[in-house]
Amino acid sequence: MNDAAAGEAIETRGLKPFLRFLIPSVIGIILFLVPFPTEDGVTILFGIYSSWMQQTFGFILLDIVVWVTIIGAFAGAYYVIAKPDWETSHPFLYAVAECTPGWLLLRTAGALVGFMVLYEVGPEIVRMEDTGIAMFNDVGIGYTIVLFPACFLMPLLTEFGSMEFFGTFVAPAFRKLFLLPGRSAVDATASFISSSNIGVLVTGQQYRRGFYTGKEAAVIATNFSVVSLPFALVIADVSKISHMFFPWYLTAIVACILCAIITPRVRPLSAIPDTYKDGIDRSHEHDAPADEPLLRRSYDTAIISAAKAPNPPELARSGSLMFVEQLFGVTGPMMALATMAAVLAFHSVLGEWIGAPIAWVLSLFDVAEAPRVGIGFVFGFIDQFIPAVIAGDLSSDAMRFILAGLSLCQLIYMSETGLVMLRVGLPINAWQLFMVFVIRTIICVPVLVLAAMWLF
């Protein structure tokens, strides 16, 4: 018998506690972390599910995503104007509609772009193959497909002990290298292998429940929410470096690890308060006695966590709230920012002006096609696809390698993961995210350049 933090006795021996930990955890690991071979390469079950959804329901997915943005805009407008008291009385309506005037502006812009794309009206520049159409088909649909099962199945990975079991083993290394608790190892793996948005949602959930401090949550979200392995294959293909995938991906991993070691130790991340939301520290409530052997302590900690896991109705309710909040609150703003970035990058002189300082620096080193490369360096902050798309048009293998790497490593994409970070309530603002983006770029570029020089 062990004592949980709340003082209640938790039975850690026997078949029933073991199965309550084992079955959900194994299912969660299979869903989110285990790679499977397919005809197109290696992916995870979520990747297989996403492909099946696109093939089976592709004819209607665009309509669904567009109408999600429209409903979100109208609901947000009603909330901002009428200010209804729905937080406790109608939590689902609150999750759908709650927003500030700034978020409402982005919701409305996304809905307008979606309407123009779906019904082929309005300025053509907004609904071209490389602007609105690409963003809704590639980003919007992909996000919507992954979001539904992620919100409902993610607790299998986070609530039933797997984070505690593996986290206890790696806690010393994670604390020393990344200044993070051990349980974040599972969070980081879910982010790195399955989906960046899934990783951010996991992090936000753990922060709100008091298992991470604000600083820990910000460090995890801004360093480990890398695009998934299947999506990395897409980036490599778009950038036309798929023949170099393994050395390219290995280089990106090295660059991301360096970022995860350095950025927590410098501003702005180092200045974020290392305190728990609402001042309540629950990070040790699943801990087993420290004097037990490591394996026993890992097992007992996992069993305590599984015993305290919410029941199915509670999980369904929290998953539903998270789903509608992210679906209606993020999809419209995501589409607005992604489309705006594509228009500026590919069809505007302003895009060239913004990238001009980087292009000038690159020209000092005789980099071919420096103006295009400069746009890719800068616009990665808004959308991760832009560096990859630009890379695909370049003639230099080395520059394609570098830009594709930035598309993977810069990580703070305001049209997707950046918006989700802001929406889930992490204690970090847009300016701080931009500063982290700049720091990550400064760290990653030398790594990518050295690898490109060696390989090419």
Side-chain angles (χ1 to χ4, degrees):
M1 301 281 282
N2 290 306
D3 293 328
E8 60 183 292
I10 302 294
E11 178 58 63
T12 60
R13 308 297 186 264
L15 182 62
K16 185 176 180 180
F18 173 69
L19 293 178
R20 182 174 173 84
F21 152 63
L22 180 68
I23 294 174
S25 297
V26 169
I27 294 173
I29 289 170
I30 291 173
L31 288 173
F32 289 93
L33 303 180
V34 175
F36 288 88
T38 68
E39 294 180 357
D40 300 320
V42 178
T43 186
I44 60 169
L45 280 181
F46 260 50
I48 297 172
Y49 152 80
S50 179
S51 299
W52 177 81
M53 286 289 292
Q54 299 237 26
Q55 294 170 5
T56 307
F57 301 104
F59 67 95
I60 198 172
L61 288 176
L62 178 61
D63 302 65
I64 292 173
V65 173
V66 169
W67 278 100
V68 162
T69 65
I70 293 172
I71 293 170
F74 277 107
Y78 178 81
Y79 182 86
V80 169
I81 295 170
K83 297 180 173 60
D85 186 16
W86 283 344
E87 187 169 3
T88 55
S89 59
H90 298 85
F92 282 93
L93 290 177
Y94 178 80
V96 171
E98 186 273 328
C99 66
T100 63
W103 281 98
L104 174 60
L105 181 62
L106 289 174
R107 286 192 185 202
T108 304
L112 289 173
V113 172
F115 186 85
M116 287 187 280
V117 167
L118 183 61
Y119 295 103
E120 299 181 355
V121 297
E124 185 178 0
I125 195 172
V126 175
R127 48 188 177 84
M128 297 177 69
E129 290 291 336
D130 60 355
T131 57
I133 291 177
M135 296 306 137
F136 269 85
N137 284 325
D138 296 334
V139 180
I141 290 177
Y143 176 73
T144 304
I145 287 174
V146 169
L147 185 62
F148 180 80
C151 289
F152 289 96
L153 298 176
M154 193 168 55
L156 297 173
L157 193 64
T158 63
E159 303 291 341
F160 291 89
S162 58
M163 295 186 81
E164 286 75 11
F165 183 81
F166 295 106
T168 303
F169 280 103
V170 301
F174 257 66
R175 179 61 70 184
K176 186 173 182 179
L177 283 176
F178 311 122
L179 310 182
L180 295 173
R183 66 184 289 116
S184 64
V186 178
D187 187 341
T189 306
S191 306
F192 210 88
I193 296 179
S194 55
S195 166
S196 55
N197 288 320
I198 288 173
V200 176
L201 291 173
V202 170
T203 305
Q205 179 198 59
Q206 297 293 293
Y207 169 62
R208 289 193 299 271
R209 294 187 58 205
F211 290 107
Y212 296 148
T213 66
K215 181 179 179 180
E216 290 169 349
V219 169
I220 296 166
T222 56
N223 283 284
F224 292 104
S225 301
V226 184
V227 297
S228 65
L229 176 59
F231 201 78
L233 291 167
V234 175
I235 290 177
D237 185 57
V238 171
S239 304
K240 298 180 182 177
I241 60 159
S242 54
H243 60 291
M244 296 288 294
F245 178 78
F246 287 107
W248 169 75
Y249 193 66
L250 179 61
T251 303
I253 290 174
V254 171
C256 287
I257 291 174
L258 284 176
C259 288
I261 293 172
I262 296 170
T263 57
R265 292 170 167 83
V266 298
R267 287 177 175 270
L269 294 181
S270 65
I272 294 176
D274 202 20
T275 55
Y276 292 90
K277 187 174 177 63
D278 302 326
I280 301 174
D281 178 2
R282 298 187 178 89
S283 61
H284 300 292
E285 72 173 24
H286 299 154
D287 286 359
D291 57 354
E292 289 185 344
L294 180 60
L295 182 59
R296 171 56 65 184
R297 188 165 74 250
S298 300
Y299 175 77
D300 286 353
T301 301
I303 295 299
I304 293 169
S305 176
K308 288 175 169 288
N311 58 41
E314 291 173 334
L315 290 175
R317 183 178 184 278
S318 62
S320 299
L321 286 172
M322 181 186 295
F323 173 70
V324 297
E325 177 187 359
Q326 296 300 316
L327 182 68
F328 292 99
V330 174
T331 307
M334 181 187 298
M335 294 298 92
L337 288 175
T339 304
M340 177 191 70
V343 170
L344 290 177
F346 302 134
H347 302 284
S348 170
V349 176
L350 183 60
E352 296 180 6
W353 291 350
I354 294 173
I358 300 295
W360 178 78
V361 174
L362 294 173
S363 67
L364 297 178
F365 297 92
D366 295 323
V367 173
E369 302 169 281
R372 292 283 290 171
V373 177
I375 293 174
F377 270 60
V378 175
F379 275 84
F381 178 63
I382 305 178
D383 186 79
Q384 69 189 84
F385 258 123
I386 290 177
V389 171
I390 291 175
D393 294 333
L394 299 178
S395 57
S396 167
D397 288 339
M399 289 313 304
R400 287 205 303 270
F401 183 95
I402 294 168
L403 267 187
L406 285 178
S407 187
L408 189 67
C409 298
Q410 286 176 322
L411 195 148
I412 313 295
Y413 318 115
M414 289 308 296
S415 66
E416 192 170 355
T417 53
L419 276 182
V420 180
M421 289 177 200
L422 297 176
R423 188 67 186 177
V424 298
L426 299 182
I428 190 167
N429 58 43
W431 173 250
Q432 290 171 319
L433 288 176
F434 176 71
M435 292 304 298
V436 175
F437 168 84
V438 172
I439 294 168
R440 290 187 65 88
T441 303
I442 292 171
I443 295 170
C444 291
V445 167
V447 177
L448 294 166
V449 169
L450 288 173
M453 291 173 61
W454 180 61
L455 292 169
F456 300 101

